[in-house]
Amino acid sequence: MTAPGIRTGQDAEDAEDLDVEEVLALVKEDNGHAVADHMPAHAAQGGHHDTPHKPEHKQDARHQATPWLQAREIAARAPRSASPGARRAPVSVPLDAALGLTLAAPLTALTDLPSFDTSAMDGWAVAGPGPWDVREEGVLAGQAEPEPLTDGEAVRIATGARIPPDTTAVLRSEHGRTDDKGHLHATREIVHGQDIRPRGQECRSGDQLLPVGTVVTPAVLGLAAAAGYDTLTAVPRPRVEVLVLGDELLTEGTPHDGLIRDALGPMLPPWLRALGAEVTAVRRLGDDAKALRKAITTSDADLIVTTGGTAAGPVDHVHPTLQRLGAELLVNGVKVRPGHPMLLARTKENQHLVGLPGNPLAAVSGLLTLAEPLLRTLAARPAPEPYTLPLTDETHGHPYDTRLVPVVLRGDRAVPLHYNGPAMLRGIAAADALAVVPPGGARPGQETELLDLPWAAGGIGVCFT
């Protein structure tokens, strides 16, 4: 289905909704890092399954795999390089459902803010020089416009209440006193206009408050409500379907008789939601090639995430299934540990598949390497600003590949955690981030790039609902 292309004019009142592709063009998700115009696509290798035990095949596979940084760039660009017919149209979302989305239209003030002169403090609205005679009935917030004041007159007023016409200033409660005749006196000098918020002080109707590409935070929701909005025009959440593969997986109880508990089924959906996705289904297929093919061909998700089955074993059906479907293999293995057998494919012009390894920490590596950049682009979110911290300890690396190591942050340093093997979750469960360790490892004190975990970064990405 083709999404309508909607353009934005120069003037705020002429601004229309943008389609997702146009929003993406306005979000600097690469943070100034140039990416090559055409990344090489990795074709499906029929021989990948023929000689899995030959040493020369292992060497070839290592060289065919995509470098880690390039794999992330390919994933981030994948939705953009799809057919224009695959563009996703913006949606109108109620304020209470918009947290974490990206604006697809400018947020333009629908009224002056404030929309009338208001009192900034509790006290008295006064006219002319004092002392003042005080009216019996005060002015509260939410009331209609009060009667004008005359010189020498004052009226009690609450914060946020409309200022009576001809008011000179607001005298704060703590800065005034009344005598035994009921006259009000100021205990300190009054300045004209004091503690009055004039109409339009924050903005005028039609002013652009926030541009296209702004991520909706709680503060954005507050501003939108104050500016008169009930809904926001935003980029829709990417729809993700999770396919859990493996006959050996249990859904309850303790491991027994060669069976193990499924850790990825419970872990991936909330993690994907934290990355801004809408998880539409979690399906357990076992090691069934026909069921996998049917699940892929019938899915209408923007992204399919599979767990396990990405290697070349007798029941690893992901590669053969993608080959039979004629999918375009964009990334076929990544030079990263854990998780090197991960893959990225385009199954339809508007659909991608990320194949995660079955080992839990390897799956996390694949999630952050391939799924996170792709989902970020689909949601038109900006890329997080890269940053580095020195490591407290020596961290072993792989001879050729990047290594992702769980760390905790202590002040201005990152502390590598133990239990960081491909099948382990104990380290990542206690982690704040993953350190990107270059080939060969890192020495104590070496600055290392960090990938924040969404719930540890303090951002609005923690949307577990």
Side-chain angles (χ1 to χ4, degrees):
M1 181 176 179
T2 303
I6 310 174
R7 300 291 176 183
T8 298
Q10 292 292 324
D11 298 326
E13 63 262 25
D14 297 328
E16 295 181 302
D17 301 346
L18 300 177
D19 68 23
V20 173
E21 189 72 10
E22 292 169 312
V23 175
L24 290 171
L26 295 174
V27 177
K28 296 181 179 178
E29 60 197 357
D30 291 325
N31 288 332
H33 296 294
V35 180
D37 288 338
H38 301 284
M39 290 293 183
H42 295 265
Q45 301 293 324
H48 184 76
H49 307 284
D50 296 336
T51 55
H53 301 296
K54 293 183 180 180
E56 62 269 25
H57 170 80
K58 292 183 179 179
Q59 185 75 1
D60 289 343
R62 179 171 63 80
H63 287 294
Q64 290 171 2
T66 306
W68 180 77
L69 181 59
Q70 184 181 357
R72 284 173 59 81
E73 291 171 344
I74 292 172
R77 294 172 60 87
R80 295 187 184 183
S81 58
S83 164
R87 294 180 179 180
R88 301 158 71 237
V91 292
S92 180
V93 183
L95 294 187
D96 61 3
L99 182 66
L101 299 183
T102 301
L103 293 182
L107 190 72
T108 304
L110 303 179
T111 182
D112 296 344
L113 286 181
S115 55
F116 45 82
D117 294 347
T118 63
S119 177
M121 301 295 294
D122 292 333
W124 296 269
V126 300
W132 302 273
D133 292 324
V134 181
R135 287 184 186 171
E136 290 186 5
E137 188 172 340
V139 182
L140 301 177
Q143 293 181 338
E145 185 177 34
E147 293 293 322
L149 292 176
T150 59
D151 279 355
E153 193 175 23
V155 64
R156 267 282 184 186
I157 194 165
T159 302
R162 298 184 68 159
I163 295 293
D166 302 323
T167 295
T168 301
V170 169
L171 177 64
R172 299 185 185 190
S173 297
E174 62 268 28
H175 297 162
R177 63 172 180 84
T178 54
D179 60 24
D180 55 3
K181 296 182 179 179
H183 295 137
L184 174 66
H185 300 262
T187 59
R188 63 175 61 185
E189 182 181 0
I190 290 184
V191 178
H192 192 280
Q194 175 179 301
D195 289 325
I196 295 175
R197 293 187 63 216
R199 176 174 182 164
Q201 182 185 51
E202 186 169 3
C203 65
R204 289 291 184 181
S205 180
D207 285 352
Q208 180 174 303
L209 304 176
L210 295 170
V212 168
T214 299
V215 177
V216 178
T217 64
V220 170
L221 293 175
L223 176 61
Y229 284 83
D230 299 315
T231 62
L232 293 174
T233 301
V235 177
R237 297 186 195 279
R239 293 166 299 132
V240 179
E241 187 167 347
V242 178
L243 306 181
V244 180
L245 312 182
D247 289 338
E248 75 280 14
L249 301 178
L250 294 168
T251 59
E252 59 184 14
T254 57
H256 62 85
D257 301 325
L259 303 177
I260 61 173
R261 276 296 296 269
D262 169 30
L264 299 182
M267 179 175 72
L268 289 179
W271 202 317
L272 289 162
R273 293 187 191 104
L275 294 176
E278 174 191 353
V279 178
T280 58
V282 179
R283 303 176 61 185
R284 302 177 186 277
L285 304 182
D287 292 314
D288 187 328
K290 290 183 179 179
L292 176 61
R293 180 171 182 168
K294 182 178 180 181
I296 294 173
T297 55
T298 57
S299 175
D300 62 355
D302 301 302
L303 173 64
I304 300 170
V305 174
T306 63
T307 70
T310 58
V315 292
D316 290 333
H317 300 304
V318 176
H319 277 95
T321 299
L322 292 174
Q323 195 169 22
R324 292 188 193 101
L325 293 175
E328 181 183 2
L329 203 53
L330 304 176
V331 174
N332 185 15
V334 177
K335 294 181 180 180
V336 67
R337 304 299 170 120
H340 67 283
M342 67 182 73
L343 64 86
L344 169 64
R346 181 176 291 124
T347 50
K348 303 173 187 175
E349 67 173 1
N350 61 345
Q351 184 184 77
H352 292 82
L353 181 145
V354 168
L356 303 178
N359 277 326
L361 189 58
V364 169
S365 174
L367 187 70
L368 297 182
T369 299
L370 297 177
E372 186 276 331
L374 190 144
L375 289 171
R376 184 198 329 132
T377 298
L378 286 173
R381 285 187 177 188
E385 191 71 27
Y387 76 103
T388 64
L389 284 178
L391 296 174
T392 58
D393 306 311
E394 180 179 1
T395 306
H396 297 293
H398 186 271
Y400 312 107
D401 299 347
T402 299
R403 187 170 173 230
L404 302 181
V405 177
V407 297
V408 290
L409 306 183
R410 294 291 181 264
D412 59 353
R413 289 182 173 266
V415 182
L417 294 170
H418 301 296
Y419 306 106
N420 52 31
M424 298 180 180
L425 287 174
R426 186 171 171 181
I428 193 70
D432 298 315
L434 287 172
V436 182
V437 178
R443 63 186 181 277
Q446 181 173 330
E447 292 279 343
T448 306
E449 181 182 352
L450 297 181
L451 300 178
D452 278 327
L453 301 179
W455 47 87
I460 59 121
V462 189
C463 302
F464 292 112
T465 57

